Amino acid sequence: MATTVKEAEATPPRPTVKHGVAFLTSRLRQIGIFVALLVIVGLFQILTRGALLQPDNVSNIIVQNSYILLLAIGMVMIIIAGHIDLSVGSVAAFVGAMSGVMIQDWGFPWWLAILASLVIGGIVGAWQGFWVAYVGIPAFIVTLAGMLLFRGLTQITLENQRISGFPTEYRQLGGGFLFPGLFPADTNILDWTTVGLGVIAAVLLVISQLRGRRTRARLNLETEPAPWFITKLAFGIVVILGLTYLLASSRSGTPIVLVLLGILVVVYSAVMNNSVFGRHIYARGGNLQAAQLSGVNTKRIDFMLFVNMGVLAALAGLVFTGRLNSAGPGAGNLFELDAIAAAFIGGAAVTGGVGTVIGAITGGLIMGVLNNGMSLMGVGTDYQQFIKGMVLLLAVAFDVFNKRKASNALK
């Protein structure tokens, strides 16, 4: 029977090589960051003669960079909305100082000190969000003032002294491991708690990706070519299981902060991709006037973004303080620059409207691998700063090049 015109229109065209190449080109921003991470890991694995991917060193990379990754989650949301936050390092230091005072001087139990610290972070974020959203002062100015203000409050709170000696439960957040000793290394080849978590994470990845693809197909939205979808899914599974094996082979198992990071990445990715609030953030950063004309309450969006950033900065401060078992007046120095660099290296656009939580985490891991790999090679901090600066410059240049190319294609 001959195919009718209506049936022909309903039948989607078969994917071709040209279509596949065009799709990959359109995803160059997202693909490039993961390729860059793999190349950097491979390069330092060779240069350090295999030391980079030793199980204990992989665990060390995660723990050492956990607070930057936490900050990067909130920072990329701020940048997507077209803002910047220069105060997060000072806020992290201030909250860490307050938690130390609450535990050491005020006699708070560790759990109450943690909850109160998160509340303080939210209040700090609300303070800065008020000036940005409702007074209309640019975020750059407000957070620059906040950087100085909260650094000063940190020094006042601590009286320029260092507080140390926190409870064991408090320190677990930044440097503890999940169920240590449950599967001791001297009697088990792998930490089976870590193996179980890794398998669960891989299964959840497959389920979420298949469900998302089915939903996009049902709504007649753009669907990835099947070969690319399978390749991307297989790559994600290999990365999860590879990391699982390395952590399970280490002496300690899974860092608690990694579990916390995993939960936050899933939650914030869902918020940015599937919620009205997330779509409004992208709309606000992509075109402010269009968003306002569409009925988006941009002032509320800005306010909530800074409240969220304050809470995440507080959490990063708690993790950092717990890991060092110390709260000092110089804590959090340059954290904001590392978080901003992670967001931009991870694909966030300078002008706003573009970026992902996964990209920011990947950018943070690139910075962490660079730091760790160069330290293993004995590279001085002066050269480390130079190299990281060049990486950030090239990442932003890549973003500008992609935008210019897309703009020329539309003409």
Side-chain angles (χ1 to χ4, degrees), residues 13-25:
R14 292 183 179 181
T16 63
V17 175
K18 184 177 180 180
H19 174 69
V21 172
F23 180 84
L24 291 178
T25 302

Side-chain angles (χ1 to χ4, degrees), residues 86-157:
L86 302 177
S87 68
V88 292
S90 297
V91 174
F94 173 63
V95 172
M98 286 300 301
S99 68
V101 169
M102 284 187 282
I103 291 174
Q104 298 282 17
D105 298 342
W106 299 351
F108 280 29
W110 64 271
W111 59 269
L112 182 58
I114 289 177
L115 291 177
S117 296
L118 295 177
V119 172
I120 290 172
I123 294 172
V124 168
W127 161 263
Q128 300 198 114
F130 167 76
W131 292 104
V132 174
Y134 296 107
V135 179
I137 301 176
F140 180 87
I141 301 299
V142 171
T143 57
L144 178 61
M147 179 175 67
L148 302 174
L149 191 157
F150 294 108
R151 179 62 61 186
L153 284 177
T154 302
Q155 295 171 353
I156 293 170
T157 301

Side-chain angles (χ1 to χ4, degrees), residues 28-29 32-33 36 40 341 343-348 350 366-367 370 385-403:
L28 188 60
R29 183 197 299 266
I33 184 63
I40 291 172
F344 283 135
I345 292 172
V350 179
I366 287 177
M367 299 290 287
L370 283 172
Q385 296 296 329
F386 172 80
I387 292 172
K388 289 193 293 184
M390 287 299 300
V391 169
L392 175 59
L393 180 62
L394 292 174
V396 176
F398 180 71
D399 171 65
V400 172
F401 170 78
N402 277 341
K403 280 190 172 181

Side-chain angles (χ1 to χ4, degrees), residues 93 97 151 154 158 161-163 326-331:
R151 179 62 61 186
T154 302
L158 296 175
Q161 301 295 319
R162 184 175 293 274
I163 295 179
S326 173

